[in-house]
């Protein structure tokens, strides 16, 4: 029987079927569900690591011990892990080491759209690119075999449209499996696992030779095992493609000859040359960088069209691949797509902090420092602090960067104060090292840790701050305020996330603190956690509302404009949607005329 | 018998759009066809616009459709029906929930949520049929506001040449046993809306 699985669910199943015994990851869209699903299979250990480098280091150690392993992360997470990644390519692996890189063309939930196939070239290890869930499942097993046969880390690269689309696979109910302890550690042949300069110099030529052997594997077994394949059609045009892009190419130009590369690095160049010789015109269709195209051109194989007709930026779709193949002379001119409705103007619907969100009262207060301080933000739901009505964020680049940016701004002589805003999970991910640096160098910055007791944006994953493990066991909880004090921060205050005045006061005190960085831990559980409790709903007393707009400035989706006009201003009074309100009281606290109260009071 | 179909589910984060599209994709498999669907996770989900494509065919390639090729637009929120109407193919159909979720841009600026009459008239110009479902009210009537999904899918089932039972079974496989009865009621309420609309037009 067939069942629908997302690419991520299929990778989890494939990993379990391939005998992966240990997996580690840090959550990040679009990769998160891989470990969440893998964690449910029997006889395995699956963990959330505190960041992606830790996740990779975990699986390196497990692989050296002989376990089949998998680490999963989003594309920018690989940047965090890259230090170890580049060197584990030199040391080689023992048990299979599969790194899943989930790329995000179109930045649906990311800060850039880097193409992580480039890591495979830079690090000199193979990269597999499945085109649907069934392939994702199957490729994991083949990737594990390749990893062990060639003693190399292997990248399994997905993109959002693979990770988060569901397609049919043969269903399987997992049978019981025991967790097997590793055999005694084998030291023989393990000398290359200590990558001091002498070893690294010896290993480099061996890595280059391994890469040639992998290209030969791709040209032979890669085709025999269905990783790469040629679908012959009309031979006036031959299209080289890989990953999810293959689906667009086949749907639009399935009548032409297609060389589908399930392995995008290293390339089977002789097989590509043979394919090119048998077609009149060679076209390369790939998402993001001209990764395959450049290698084919560099090998002296003529390419008629590639990035001259296929977009370099953004996600590929049926529509833009159709346009590209039209420009390449393969398809007829596409019809004009329908126009948006002309008779109505549709207001935008940007994402917003949820009703009851524990970040709301903080950003309502942080707004006041917009002119006095430079506001360095970080990655999480609280990135939405940049949006109206708060617009309380001046810089944001990557996970954990807020504290380092604030520190650098202050130390370079910034005229304004600097306030960093970082979440609990991000603090453990990469906030502790820059805080240590700030304490050590004694910068007078304010660090606000928004501790909502969960990794929220990616869908409520646990982290060291909650102490619950991925497999649901009680781990050990780490207290953020205690960590900061132990690091030598002399001002550490905790404050209730929904207490508007208390946050105002503690921020003022923190700004006045002269001795090194000051840390404010804003504590309140995300509305999606069991720790969040609904309170009696708020309602507006329309006889009291004077349309001052204060409640709208807390940016709550539950606060709406009513139909009633306040004569003195001519503006619509506020009302509260009882379906959305959680009773968090932030709007009640900021209303200057007491027009907002609890229902039934 | 249907052999190919593109459905586009749209709504607001938290409305259950992804669950509904899961079930519709499963119905494609249950009909003996290939099926794929796309999802949206992460940043966009937080109160923002959610879209999910479902495609049925003997062999489905892309998990997403092209603008102008959607057979049925399933809008869980009225304004979202208008936002996505250009994805509909000429002669396509729309199932739209009357529920209005006012975006923050309306509360924080001069942007206006168009009135229902204007929106439905505009939708009517694009579609061969617009089925308007008061899904929240019907869900309350069925006994649980979380059956909005079931009501919308039931209305969809009346527009397609498919066996109602396949839809109801696919829904019941997805809901906890203790909610089977209330979903059964919701399914019949949704069917009635779909069939009523088709009788009146």
């Amino acid at each position: 029987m067939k069942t629908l699985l997302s690419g991520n669910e299929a990778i989890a199943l494939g990993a379990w079927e391939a005998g992966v015994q240990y997996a580690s990851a840090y959550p990040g869209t679009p990769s998160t569900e891989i470990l969440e699903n893998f964690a449910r299979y029997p006889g395995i250990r699956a963990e959330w690591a505190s960041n992606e480098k830790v996740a990779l280091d975990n699986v390196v150690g497990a692989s050296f011990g002989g376990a089949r392993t998998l680490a999963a992360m989003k594309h920018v997470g690989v940047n965090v892990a890259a230090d170890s990644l580049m060197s584990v390519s030199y040391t080689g692996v023992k048990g299979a080491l599969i790194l899943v890189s989930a790329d995000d063309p179109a930045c649906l939930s990311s800060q850039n759209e880097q193409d992580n196939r480039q890591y495979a070239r830079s690090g000199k290890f193979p990269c597999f690119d499945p085109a649907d869930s069934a392939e994702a499942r199957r490729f994991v097993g083949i990737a594990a075999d390749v990893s062990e046969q060639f003693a190399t880390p292997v990248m399994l690269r997905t993109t959002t449209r693979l990770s988060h689309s569901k397609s049919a696979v043969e269903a399987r109910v997992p049978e019981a499996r025991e967790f097997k302890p590793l055999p005694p550690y084998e030291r023989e042949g393990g000398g290359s696992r200590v990558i001091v300069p002498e070893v690294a110099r010896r290993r480099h030529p061996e890595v280059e030779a391994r890469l040639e052997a992998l290209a030969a594997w791709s040209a032979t077994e890669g085709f025999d095992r269905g990783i790469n394949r040629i679908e012959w059609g009309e031979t006036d045009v031959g299209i080289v493609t890989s990953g999810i892009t293959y689906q667009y190419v086949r749907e639009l130009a399935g009548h032409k000859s297609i060389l589908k590369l399930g392995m995008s690095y290293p390339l089977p160049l002789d097989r590509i040359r043979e394919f090119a010789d048998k077609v009149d015109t060679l076209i390369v269709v790939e998402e993001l960088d001209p990764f395959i195209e450049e290698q084919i051109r560099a090998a002296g194989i003529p390419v008629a069209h590639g990035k001259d007709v296929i977009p370099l930026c953004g996600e590929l779709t049926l529509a833009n691949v159709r346009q590209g193949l039209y420009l390449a002379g393969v398809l007829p001119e596409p019809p004009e797509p329908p126009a948006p409705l002309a008779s109505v103007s549709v207001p935008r619907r940007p994402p917003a902090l949820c009703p009851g969100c524990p970040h709301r009262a903080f950003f309502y207060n942080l707004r006041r420092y917009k002119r006095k301080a430079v506001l360095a933000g970080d990655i999480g739901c609280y990135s939405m602090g940049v949006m109206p009505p708060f617009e309380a964020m001046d810089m944001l680049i990557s996970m954990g960067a807020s504290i380092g940016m604030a520190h650098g701004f202050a130390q370079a002589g910034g005229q304004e104060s600097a306030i960093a805003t970082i979440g609990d999970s991000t603090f453990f991910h990469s906030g502790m090292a820059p805080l240590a640096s700030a304490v050590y160098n004694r910068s007078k910055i304010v660090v606000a840790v928004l501790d909502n007791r969960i990794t929220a944006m990616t869908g409520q994953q646990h982290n060291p701050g909650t102490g619950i493990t991925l497999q649901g066991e009680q781990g050990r909880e780490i207290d953020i305020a205690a960590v900061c004090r132990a690091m030598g921060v002399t001002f550490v205050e905790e404050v209730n996330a929904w207490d508007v005045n208390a946050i105002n006061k503690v921020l003022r005190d923190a700004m006045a603190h002269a001795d090194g960085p000051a840390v404010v831990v804003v504590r309140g559980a995300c509305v999606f956690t069991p720790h969040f409790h609904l309170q009696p709903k708020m309602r507006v007393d329309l006889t009291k509302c004077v349309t001052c707009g204060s409640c709208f400035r807390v940016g709550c989706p539950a606060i709406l404009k009513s139909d009633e006009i306040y004569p003195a201003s001519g503006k619509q009074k506020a009302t509260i949607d009882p379906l959305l309100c959680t009773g968090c009281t932030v709007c009640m606290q900021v209303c200057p005329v007491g027009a907002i109260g609890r229902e039934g009071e | 018998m249907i052999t190919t179909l593109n459905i586009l589910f749209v709504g607001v984060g938290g409305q259950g759009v992804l669950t509904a599209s899961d079930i519709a994709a499963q119905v494609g498999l249950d009909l003996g066809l290939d099926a794929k669907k796309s999802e949206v996770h992460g940043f966009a989900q937080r109160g923002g616009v959610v879209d999910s494509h479902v495609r049925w065919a003997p062999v489905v390639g892309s998990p997403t459709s092209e603008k102008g090729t959607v057979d049925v637009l399933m809008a869980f929120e009225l304004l979202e029906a208008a936002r996505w109407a250009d994805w509909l193919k000429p002669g396509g159909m729309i199932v739209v929930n009357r529920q209005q979720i006012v975006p923050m841009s309306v509360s924080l600026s001069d942007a206006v949520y168009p009135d229902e009459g204007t929106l439905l008239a505009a939708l009517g110009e694009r579609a061969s049929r617009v089925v308007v479902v008061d899904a929240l009210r019907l869900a309350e009537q069925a006994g649980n506001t979380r059956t909005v999904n079931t009501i919308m899918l039931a209305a969809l089932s009346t527009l397609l040449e498919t066996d109602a039972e396949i839809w109801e079974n696919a829904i019941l496989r997805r809901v906890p046993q203790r909610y089977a009865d209330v979903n059964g009621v919701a399914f019949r309420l949704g069917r009635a809306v779909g069939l009523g609309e088709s009788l009146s037009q």
Side-chain angles (χ1 to χ4, degrees), chain A residues 33 109 164-166 247-248 250-251 318 322 338-340 343 347-349 351-352 456-457 552 555 559 561, chain B residues 22 36-37 39 41 43 46 55 59 62 66 77 80 83 86 101 103-107 109 112 122 126:
Chain A
E33 302 82 8
S109 197
H164 288 160
S165 67
K166 291 190 178 175
Q247 304 292 353
Y248 312 135
R250 193 192 61 181
E251 183 167 337
L318 283 173
R322 185 190 291 281
S343 50
R348 293 180 61 239
R349 191 188 298 277
M457 176 63 86
F552 289 114
I559 302 174
K561 290 175 178 165
Chain B
D22 253 6
K36 286 186 184 175
K37 63 161 297 202
E39 302 195 336
H41 293 242
F43 200 74
R46 295 274 165 269
R55 306 187 77 200
V59 179
S62 167
E66 268 179 283
E77 200 275 345
E80 295 313 312
R83 190 187 313 281
D86 51 342
I101 300 174
M104 294 274 292
S105 60
V106 170
S107 314
S109 73
V112 173
R126 288 298 174 99

Side-chain angles (χ1 to χ4, degrees), chain A residues 18-33:
Chain A
V20 169
Q21 159 144 333
Y22 177 75
S24 188
Y26 183 78
T29 311
S31 71
T32 311
E33 302 82 8

Side-chain angles (χ1 to χ4, degrees), chain A residues 234-280:
Chain A
E234 296 164 12
T235 55
D236 58 330
V237 170
I239 302 174
V240 181
T241 188
S242 77
I244 189 81
T245 306
Y246 160 78
Q247 304 292 353
Y248 312 135
V249 169
R250 193 192 61 181
E251 183 167 337
L252 296 167
H255 55 297
K256 302 297 182 189
S257 296
I258 298 171
L259 170 52
K260 175 188 176 302
L261 294 169
M263 192 167 162
S264 60
Y265 195 80
L267 291 178
L269 285 167
D270 289 342
R271 297 296 293 266
I272 295 172
R273 195 185 312 274
E274 282 170 34
F275 177 75
D277 285 345
K278 288 180 184 154
V279 297
D280 302 337

Side-chain angles (χ1 to χ4, degrees), chain A residues 89-385:
Chain A
S89 178
Y90 275 35
T91 62
V93 305
K94 186 173 180 216
L97 194 162
I98 301 164
L99 171 66
V100 182
S101 168
D103 293 11
D104 189 16
C107 306
L108 292 166
S109 197
S110 302
Q111 64 268 40
N112 75 34
E113 54 181 359
Q114 69 189 48
D115 185 335
N116 274 8
R117 294 176 299 175
Q118 303 286 8
Y119 269 113
R121 179 152 59 179
S122 177
K124 302 172 191 295
F125 49 79
C127 180
F128 290 85
D129 291 75
D132 60 24
S133 296
E135 279 197 352
R137 173 195 197 175
R138 192 164 61 83
F139 281 19
V140 177
I142 296 171
D145 293 346
V146 167
S147 177
E148 288 174 357
Q149 183 183 340
F150 294 90
T152 179
V154 172
M155 177 178 279
L156 182 79
R157 185 232 186 199
T158 72
T159 54
T160 301
R161 220 41 96 171
L162 179 84
S163 310
H164 288 160
S165 67
K166 291 190 178 175
S167 56
V169 302
E170 280 301 325
R172 171 165 185 173
V173 179
E175 59 280 2
R177 181 186 292 175
E178 289 294 314
F179 184 83
K180 290 196 211 73
L182 297 179
Y185 186 72
E186 270 183 31
R187 287 179 171 77
E188 304 83 56
S192 67
R193 291 180 202 146
V194 180
I195 196 74
V196 291
E198 184 193 335
V199 176
R201 282 190 291 268
R202 173 169 63 74
R203 282 293 294 161
H204 187 179
E206 293 168 10
V207 168
E208 298 295 343
R210 182 182 72 196
L211 205 51
E212 283 185 25
L214 283 161
W217 183 92
S218 180
T220 51
E221 276 195 71
F223 282 83
D224 297 341
R225 296 185 72 173
I227 291 280
N228 306 317
R229 69 169 181 265
I230 295 174
E231 297 172 6
W232 287 111
E234 296 164 12
T235 55
D236 58 330
V237 170
I239 302 174
V240 181
T241 188
S242 77
I244 189 81
T245 306
Y246 160 78
Q247 304 292 353
Y248 312 135
V249 169
R250 193 192 61 181
E251 183 167 337
L252 296 167
H255 55 297
K256 302 297 182 189
S257 296
I258 298 171
L259 170 52
K260 175 188 176 302
L261 294 169
M263 192 167 162
S264 60
Y265 195 80
L267 291 178
L269 285 167
D270 289 342
R271 297 296 293 266
I272 295 172
R273 195 185 312 274
E274 282 170 34
F275 177 75
D277 285 345
K278 288 180 184 154
V279 297
D280 302 337
T281 304
L282 192 72
I283 300 172
V284 181
V285 181
E286 60 188 320
E287 207 161 44
L288 298 175
D289 295 348
F291 182 75
I292 294 170
E293 180 185 344
E294 283 178 353
Q295 293 180 71
I296 295 178
R297 286 186 192 275
I301 303 167
V303 176
H305 294 290
K307 287 293 160 185
D308 57 326
V309 296
I310 299 294
L312 178 65
C313 306
E315 187 186 23
L316 293 187
T317 62
L318 283 173
N320 59 24
V321 172
R322 185 190 291 281
Q323 176 69 17
L325 291 177
Y326 156 66
L327 294 172
V330 179
L331 295 178
E333 186 169 7
E336 272 293 306
L341 295 184
S343 50
V344 286
S345 161
V346 179
R348 293 180 61 239
R349 191 188 298 277
L353 296 178
C354 305
C357 177
H359 301 331
R360 176 162 288 110
F362 171 76
F363 279 111
Y364 180 81
N365 278 297
L366 191 63
R367 229 174 18 104
R368 301 199 177 110
Y369 291 94
K370 271 197 258 189
R371 279 171 199 83
K372 298 174 211 154
V374 164
L375 308 176
D378 226 301
I379 308 264
C381 285
Y382 48 90
S383 302
M384 284 187 260

